[in-house]
Amino acid sequence: MKRREFIQTGFHMTGGILLTSPLLPLIKNLVPAAKSKVIVVRDAQIQNEKYSVDSDRLSQLLDKGMQSLFNTDNPIQAWKKIVTAEEVVGLKVNCLSGHGSTHRELVAAVCESLQKSGVKSENIIIWERFSSDLEDGGFKINQQAKGIRCFGNDHLGFSNDFEMYGSAASLICNTLQRLCDVVINLPVLKDHGIAGITMSMKNMYGAIHNPNKYHLNVGNPYIADVFMLPSIRNKVRLTICDALVAQYEGGPSFMPHWRWAYNGLLIATDPVALDYSGWQIIEQERKKRRFKSLKEVGREPKYIYTAADAEHHLGICDPEKIELVTVE
Amino acid sequence: MGTFYPKNLSGIKTETVNIGEVQPELMDTWPGDYVSFLKSTGINNKNIDRRNFIKLTAGVGCTLALSSRILAGSKIFPEETEKFVREARYYEKLDNKKIRCRLCPRQCVIDDRERGYCGVRENHDGTYYTLVYARPCSLNADPIEKKPFFHFYPGSAAFSLATAGCNVNCKFCQNWEISQVRPEEVRSYYLLPEEIAKLAGQYECQTIAYTYSEPTIYYEYMMDCVQACRQKKLKNVVVTAGYIAKEPLTELCKVVDAIKVDLKAFSEKYYKEVVNGELKPVLESLITMHQMGIWTEIVYLVVPTLNDSDKEFKELCRWIRINLGIDVPIHFTRFHPQYLLKNIPPTPVKTLERAKEIADAEGLHYAYIGNVPGHPSENTHCPQCKKIVVRRSGFTVEQINIKNGMCTYCNTNIAGMWGV
């Protein structure tokens, strides 16, 4: 091999070399052998016509979903399969559209469940891109060491070194990289004007310093590549997608006239399977309301397929291999 | 943050913070029972269903933006950043609160509360804002040769400034710590255009250079600084990748004195893979500059194996000769491993010399070698008698043999703006 060829090869392979080594054990763990399970848990009475949520019913709904996902009669046992009592848990909410943010009641239910399963309140961090986003979403900033903490990436800043994979090279927020042992991803089920849909994988753009660089080409392969960054891939263990009120058009901005009460949660450990399933829900609603499909409007979220390909192995998007469990 | 002390300018170091720096935790915030708070009537419970939304917005023509703002219970931008916010100049309003940015060829379509590729412009309720007005994060008094400008007032000092952000993402960027971050991630000053003009005078700079990151993305601030500085009889130069739309570029060319363009390569493939941009609009920008008679110099960073073939050098030089003329200086500069291109070695000096030979053979009058201090090709030679008319060593100008813009040996016109 000539020097020139060696350099060129090295240029293209840098990201791969940096990443594949530490990820190899994880790939074995995370890639589902046969099927991925996605729980869709719904309750028609969970909110009134003015979208006021019943917190108690929501807690019960969450318990049902977790029990179903982990095949157990005891919700605490289910949570213990996700986190241990010693771990610091980050709750990545989505607050970029103010009123259309992850419901506080859902975050409260998750916090309660975590505490019941032994996680100390001090070890729970509600986190988003900017503190101002959280405030717009109705959250109260708490940067103290006492109690459940809540702040944006602007509080602790970003890592010194890049994490890289494929098209993505980013600094990771210190909240995730330094503080959190595990992340529970709490996105919202909604349409996205560039990426087609935004749910679990896209929500992790809130963990990097340069998300504005990755909104090209309907987010493909960027969204999948960002999720491959070690701090993200290694720490996101569970996604609970807030689908109490979903949005089938005009996202990610808050567009009340394009929202509908889905009255549900989507829960999975496989982010790809969850995103694929959520995408189908949005497509069904679009069809019902005589909107063109995302493919027809040039916004098919192909990044979901990319995330499932042989290089990424982030999960499954083959409907034949997704076990979709609906709990009413 | 926000207070400027001129003593900070004494060096040439960039005044940035380590964006990985962990700030001390604040202890003045709310300590209550967080779960109870979360369960309390929250923002999502406010009755903004479809019916109410229509009620809120219908018949009250101007209240759409305002109502969202009030309902959110907060100002559009956090109080500490509002002073840096101005409405952007080049954008188009679209349906459903979307906008299309018209500042650069990327033409980002941006949803409400989202930012463009540059990271420093944000859509709020269908109005597009720059977040970096009067928000420089880097200020230095540099020799003009550092830009590099070799044919523009040699030996003079340029008061150089930049804000955060960039509309491309070069894998070799030497200023990525300010160019590839959002404004919140670097320490910034608050300096209005008049203050920039005043500071330049204090530091005995004859020129203001908009540089380091990408001036296109702080266009509004740059344009106002240009006006303020022109009133003080200061020159204005721009160091840019040239990835800018024609209309704002045309307006810029009317008021600045010189532009240096970083032409990253002469292939679309390189622009796509290494720069995250496009070559064609940059070439169009160069032609616009030429047509508008703005003094232009070109820098070509030679990256081993990626843009250093004889064929590419020849095509580049031929294009310059045909489209811009033989008097446009071109600087072939040496690459050093940076940012995301750390696996490629520095450019061999022989490669740079080969590029210069090709430029010379193509008939270009002023081809230079850069980032190789002490190299003889830092000097400017008279294209007629071949004698040295400007002798340089690194950024230092040692001798100028130009008078009234002409070679003192043979009276041949030396293209440029010499001030001597």
Side-chain angles (χ1 to χ4, degrees), chain A residues 3-4 7-8 10-12 14 49-53 55-56 59 95-105 107-108 111-112 115 126 129-130 132-133 135-145 148-150 154-160 162 164 169 171 174 178 192-194 208-213 215-216 250-258, chain B residues 18-31 34-35 37-50 52-53 68 71-72 74-75 78 96-98 106 109-119 122 166-169 171 176 179-182 184-185 269 273-274 276 304-306 308-309 339-341 343-346 348 354:
Chain A
R3 182 172 170 271
R4 176 173 293 262
I7 293 169
Q8 283 180 335
F11 167 63
H12 293 299
T14 309
E49 72 278 7
K50 293 181 178 177
Y51 298 151
S52 187
V53 174
S55 291
D56 293 336
S59 293
C95 295
L96 300 190
S97 60
H99 295 284
S101 303
T102 307
H103 279 80
R104 295 192 332 194
E105 297 87 343
V107 179
C111 289
E112 274 190 323
Q115 290 177 87
I126 301 161
R129 194 180 61 166
F130 293 113
S132 57
D133 292 332
E135 289 175 321
D136 283 353
F139 293 86
K140 185 94 176 172
I141 301 304
N142 180 27
Q143 297 168 334
Q144 297 189 63
I148 293 169
R149 287 177 281 178
C150 178
D154 41 345
H155 176 50
L156 295 181
F158 290 85
S159 60
N160 291 321
F162 283 90
M164 294 190 275
L171 304 177
N174 284 319
R178 295 194 194 179
H192 192 284
I194 294 172
I208 58 175
H209 85 292
N210 56 352
N212 45 298
K213 302 297 184 193
H215 281 85
L216 310 171
S253 312
F254 175 69
M255 296 286 175
H257 50 300
W258 284 321
Chain B
N18 176 358
I19 62 176
E21 184 180 343
V22 176
Q23 304 296 326
E25 292 205 345
L26 302 176
M27 298 300 288
D28 60 349
T29 47
W30 183 86
Y34 209 92
V35 171
F37 162 72
L38 291 171
K39 282 183 173 178
S40 65
T41 304
I43 193 163
N44 288 294
N45 291 342
K46 289 184 180 176
N47 303 330
I48 306 175
D49 56 11
R50 184 169 179 273
N52 281 317
F53 175 80
S68 305
L71 289 167
S74 66
K75 294 183 176 181
N96 301 313
K97 299 184 187 177
K98 290 186 180 189
R106 206 175 281 284
V109 174
I110 301 161
D111 289 292
D112 184 26
R113 302 170 71 97
E114 297 275 2
R115 292 190 189 180
Y117 186 89
C118 60
E122 189 166 309
C166 187
N167 59 343
V168 291
N169 185 6
K171 288 186 163 66
W176 69 267
S179 70
Q180 300 305 322
V181 301
R182 291 180 285 186
E184 297 85 350
E185 294 162 7
K269 182 173 184 288
E273 294 177 358
V274 183
N276 288 293
T305 75
L306 298 182
D308 65 342
S309 71
Y339 186 38
L340 304 176
L341 273 191
N343 59 319
I344 293 181
R354 179 163 49 81

Side-chain angles (χ1 to χ4, degrees), chain B residues 327 365-366 381-387 412-414:
Chain B
D327 283 333
H365 280 166
Y366 308 107
H381 293 258
C382 170
Q384 183 64 33
C385 70
K386 308 300 179 192
K387 289 183 178 171
T412 296
N413 185 56
I414 309 296

